[in-house]
Amino acid sequence: MDREDMIERFASFFRNYADDRGSEVYINKLKDLLTVIPKRSLTIEWTHLNSYDPELAEELLNNPEEAIEAAEDAIQIVLREPPIEKKEEFKVHARFYNLPKTLLVKELGSEHINRFIQVDGIVTRVSEVKPFVQKAVFVCKDCGNEMIRLQKPYENLIKPARCDACGSRNIDLDVEKSRFINFQSFRLQDRPESLKGGQMPRFVDAILLDDMVDSALPGDRVLITGILRVILEQRDKKPIFKKVLEVNHIEQLSKEIEELDISPEDEQKIRELARRKDVIETIVDSIAPAIWGMKDVKMGIALALFGGVQRTLPDGTKLRGESHVLLVGDPGVAKSQLLRYVANLAPRAIYTSGKSSSAAGLTAAAVRDEFTGSWVLEAGVLVLADGGFAMIDEFDKMSDRDRSAIHEALEQQTISISKAGITATLNARTTVIAAANPKYGRFNRHKSLPEQLDLPPTLLSRFDLIFLLLDEPDEKLDSNIAEHILKVRRGEAEAVTPKIPYDLLKKYIAYSRKNIQPVLSREAMEEIKRYYVRMRKGFRRSGEDEGVQPIPITARQLEALIRLSEAHARMRLSETVTREDARAAIRLVEDMIRKIAVDEEGTLDVSILEVGTSSRKINKIDRLVSIVKALEDEGEHGAPVDRILEEAAKQGINKAEARRLLEELSAKSRIYEPRAGFYRVLG
């Protein structure tokens, strides 16, 4: 098909194509373009072109460069005709979308070179916007002759070797007369959920030009149409080429996790399931059936999978709906197994290990791009899992850099990065389900949780639910677990078959998150409020422990109760959070506090989670520091240990505890020993 024929056919398509209501789709689109000046692109649906002129639509797929140029020439013809009659030059790009076949990045091969294709993936890095010289005008310094060279964004600069007129080599680019447009490169990678176990995610570099720059951020899921180009790898002279995608159209896919195809039959099954009286128990039992017991843990994970409702207040403040869950426990209690199962069950999830994460790691990093040589942003796990779930194993073994950045991701749901001159904030609206081991191998019941975890207390307090999984001998329990494992290994169907089929449960979660936005009922509000006030009131103390008071629950746990109550209602596909939902959430949170936030004398104290030390211990430390300060001048080298212990005993701190606290204070550099047996306060 020659160029003139293509232009005429495209012009005919733009003039005459009408929808079912008889509206001239593309004439109207062109009229709209003239009123919105920044937009210089006409979006054309391939299926419309195919229904009007199948031969032309096929030509676009096989010979895209000429077809797109012909379409743009046809647009100029139509713009000058009635009813538009645009007199001055107005450059409009032809952007085609909705092709018949969508490819994954890993499916791109040599058969697609110079073909028009549609690719689905996730953006992992984006470069800065730079000027690209589309039409380069070179001037001969000796005779003034001008030479025009059209440039390709994926090739090296094409420059005349010598002047066409006089043969001089003294040639320079005239920036004033050349035409520049915006250029941006980004990297497109396979979506994590599109990969089967063990597959490597492939990536392809892509180019955005002119009005399409800045239309994608790291972590965005996009559908791209474009021409697959190849460029010779410069590093070696082997005949091997690198793939580059010249983007024609980019479309943001839904940020929600509900991209699963839910048919009317599926919806009917989901609704039938929700009507069952025991739907919540059934869902909990269907999570990781190969792992025996752990009802509370599975309930907590189920609540995290369904999630609460994100609210945006009139002043723009966002209240997160995601509940984060942390599993802490002895080795061999199936923490990783549970995480692996949930990573497959969640509609959009990424599994990673805190220890093996590097470079972009869990958050984001600035890296140098091989394609442009400039610094670019590369998204980490929490950004890639935006709108989904991040399963982080070995959570206690993260690098310090990731650990500090993850604070922001858990609460504010963003990741801010300032590196290599790049300052950016990326979205990380992610539910985190993490697993961690105690610092010294096994859990010691006589020590508090923060003492045994290599995690800052501020990070611990951001988890709505923390489950302690202890491996303790118990004859009946051990017998049940052993029998269950043996049945699983033998392949007995009832031991591993979930009550709800795997695919249906996945769709049930996705459907619920998309369609159900539960609201707190009056009864649920009263229940949560009564519990919160009762807990706060019941532990007010006076007398010897004046100072920092033990606080059994804070507003952070109150927020957690609301989120978990909403998630419980979502499990039933209910639009209203009932008193029973609130009670289920209260039971889980109260169990957690009673297990991990109890001080030396059995009092509930959330300071253990928030600060890492109980209020009672903070008060004793303060008293001990005051004693050291008061006795500093008694001895030549500071306060003698015997006198410190004597004074501490008078204030109700026994000798063994006082010695231990002195060692802790010395390790934290609040006091120091000028000589053995003497202490001074630092600073």
Side-chain angles (χ1 to χ4, degrees), residues 627 631 634 642-653:
I627 291 167
L631 298 175
E634 279 200 10
D642 297 344
R643 290 282 292 121
I644 296 170
L645 298 179
E646 200 178 296
E647 283 299 317
K650 287 178 190 172
Q651 296 194 29
I653 308 171

Side-chain angles (χ1 to χ4, degrees), residues 102-108 117-127 184-192 194-195 200-208 215-228 242-253 369-371 376-379 384:
T102 302
L103 300 165
L104 297 172
V105 179
K106 64 182 176 188
E107 293 168 348
L108 297 183
I117 54 172
Q118 183 165 283
V119 188
D120 173 18
I122 186 167
V123 178
T124 57
R125 57 164 76 166
V126 176
S127 76
Q184 188 178 35
S185 71
F186 68 91
R187 182 164 283 183
L188 189 72
Q189 186 176 296
D190 282 317
R191 288 183 293 116
S194 70
L195 300 171
M200 277 282 291
R202 304 290 159 80
F203 64 82
V204 64
D205 284 317
I207 293 168
L208 294 172
S215 51
L217 285 169
D220 286 356
R221 282 160 164 77
V222 290
L223 190 62
I224 286 172
T225 59
I227 307 168
L228 189 68
K242 180 182 176 181
K243 292 177 292 195
V244 176
L245 194 61
E246 190 182 351
V247 178
N248 177 257
H249 180 269
I250 184 166
E251 179 191 348
Q252 293 271 358
L253 292 176
D369 182 32
E370 308 111 51
F371 190 66
V376 295
L377 269 186
E378 185 155 50
L384 296 181

Side-chain angles (χ1 to χ4, degrees), residues 137-149 160 162-167 170-172 174 177:
V137 178
F138 293 94
V139 178
C140 173
K141 289 282 191 67
D142 294 340
C143 69
N145 179 39
E146 291 183 0
M147 293 155 283
I148 294 172
R149 297 289 186 271
R162 56 181 68 231
C163 175
D164 299 345
C166 68
N170 195 6
I171 296 166
D172 261 355
D174 189 328
K177 291 176 181 169

Side-chain angles (χ1 to χ4, degrees), residues 294-566:
M294 289 198 193
K295 282 282 198 295
D296 277 359
V297 178
K298 289 179 183 179
M299 171 63 112
I301 286 173
L303 292 175
L305 287 174
F306 282 87
V309 182
Q310 184 176 339
R311 310 248 183 242
T312 306
L313 305 183
D315 64 353
T317 307
K318 285 193 172 130
L319 303 175
R320 71 174 162 101
E322 285 79 8
S323 293
H324 307 304
V325 177
L326 177 64
L327 312 178
V328 182
D330 297 329
V333 288
K335 299 189 296 296
S336 300
Q337 187 82 3
L338 206 52
L339 250 61
R340 277 276 179 206
Y341 188 90
V342 178
N344 292 328
L345 176 65
R348 178 191 286 171
I350 300 179
Y351 176 94
T352 186
S353 167
K355 197 170 189 177
S356 61
S357 299
S358 62
L362 298 168
T363 51
V367 292
R368 198 175 281 283
D369 182 32
E370 308 111 51
F371 190 66
T372 60
S374 60
W375 287 95
V376 295
L377 269 186
E378 185 155 50
V381 166
L382 293 173
V383 179
L384 296 181
D386 181 31
F389 303 87
M391 312 291 156
I392 307 175
D393 206 353
E394 310 285 355
F395 191 63
D396 51 314
K397 297 174 185 71
M398 289 184 297
S399 71
D400 289 340
R401 184 180 68 77
D402 277 337
R403 194 173 290 161
S404 56
I406 211 170
H407 277 85
E408 180 192 0
L410 290 178
E411 196 61 60
Q412 276 72 43
Q413 301 202 297
T414 55
I415 284 170
S416 302
I417 183 167
S418 299
K419 287 179 183 177
I422 300 170
T423 303
T425 301
L426 304 174
N427 285 326
R429 292 160 295 189
T430 309
T431 300
V432 173
I433 301 177
N437 289 322
K439 206 188 295 186
Y440 307 111
R442 297 186 82 81
F443 199 82
N444 182 348
R445 279 192 173 278
H446 301 295
K447 288 188 173 180
S448 70
L449 182 70
E451 284 179 83
Q452 298 188 65
L453 260 191
D454 202 6
L455 287 173
T458 46
L459 195 54
L460 282 180
S461 64
R462 278 165 172 72
F463 285 94
D464 288 0
L465 292 172
I466 300 173
F467 290 104
L468 216 52
L469 308 175
L470 301 180
D471 184 10
E472 294 178 329
D474 177 320
E475 195 173 335
K476 188 170 180 238
L477 185 68
D478 294 343
S479 166
N480 288 333
I481 290 173
E483 193 172 330
H484 183 75
I485 291 171
L486 291 166
K487 279 182 182 174
V488 169
R489 277 290 179 182
R490 194 170 152 194
E492 289 188 20
E494 74 271 10
V496 288
T497 307
K499 291 184 180 176
I500 302 171
Y502 183 82
D503 288 340
L504 179 61
L505 182 55
K506 200 169 188 170
K507 287 176 180 175
Y508 187 99
I509 294 166
Y511 179 85
S512 170
R513 284 182 73 115
K514 185 175 185 180
N515 300 299
I516 310 297
Q517 311 296 327
V519 179
L520 286 163
S521 65
R522 275 266 149 230
E523 295 81 33
M525 285 168 71
E526 280 299 317
E527 189 73 30
I528 293 171
K529 179 183 162 188
R530 191 162 54 241
Y531 171 73
Y532 180 71
V533 173
R534 177 168 59 81
M535 288 291 280
R536 299 274 295 184
K537 193 171 80 174
F539 290 91
R540 178 81 189 135
R541 289 170 173 254
S542 58
E544 54 152 354
D545 271 341
E546 278 298 354
V548 181
Q549 288 287 328
I551 295 173
I553 192 170
T554 65
R556 195 170 252 159
Q557 280 77 43
L558 181 65
E559 288 270 351
L561 286 171
I562 296 165
R563 284 191 288 267
L564 296 169
S565 304
E566 289 171 345

